[in-house]
Amino acid sequence: MTERLRTDINIEGEPKPEIDIEIGYENFVPEEFRQNPLDYFETKGKNVKQGEIELDEEGKVREDPKAVKELPEWTDGTGKTLKTIAKKVNTKKGKVGELGDPFYEYKIIQAVRQ
């Protein structure tokens, strides 16, 4: 189960970002991220992959190495820390779009682990 937050930020032509927070992790998510997840992602995150954005023949993004970032460690009120990786997900593209599930890749990884 997750808590879904919809921010007030709207970049023209793009949907408002949504944040899904699993139960038990609410106290880790910094207010700065909740208020403006895109800015936090861009300014605080470190790219996980190197390279340039690749476009297909139609000019659509095929590969975006800047879409996955390692964020600073998050700490809850008790001093526990959480290492965080964030990914921008196009909910209209590929399997995510077909299924309407932005956690499609995460669930596949969980299934493989089990």
Side-chain angles (χ1 to χ4, degrees), residues 55-88:
L55 304 175
D56 66 12
E57 309 81 43
E58 298 173 3
K60 294 181 180 177
V61 175
R62 183 165 184 251
E63 176 70 22
D64 183 358
K66 297 177 181 171
V68 179
K69 297 190 183 243
E70 180 179 4
L71 301 179
E73 271 190 3
W74 292 351
T75 307
D76 71 358
T78 66
K80 292 180 186 170
T81 59
L82 181 68
K83 293 187 182 219
T84 309
I85 300 288
K87 179 176 182 180
K88 286 185 190 176

Side-chain angles (χ1 to χ4, degrees), residues 17-78:
E18 293 181 14
I19 304 167
D20 286 329
I21 304 170
E22 288 188 40
I23 301 299
Y25 292 95
E26 308 90 349
N27 295 329
F28 286 97
V29 182
E31 189 61 31
E32 185 180 1
F33 180 83
R34 291 175 188 257
Q35 293 300 315
N36 193 339
L38 293 176
D39 185 57
Y40 188 95
F41 180 86
E42 294 298 335
T43 59
K44 306 274 187 191
K46 294 181 198 168
N47 289 354
V48 172
K49 293 168 90 176
Q50 299 300 316
E52 298 298 320
I53 294 174
E54 295 177 20
L55 304 175
D56 66 12
E57 309 81 43
E58 298 173 3
K60 294 181 180 177
V61 175
R62 183 165 184 251
E63 176 70 22
D64 183 358
K66 297 177 181 171
V68 179
K69 297 190 183 243
E70 180 179 4
L71 301 179
E73 271 190 3
W74 292 351
T75 307
D76 71 358
T78 66

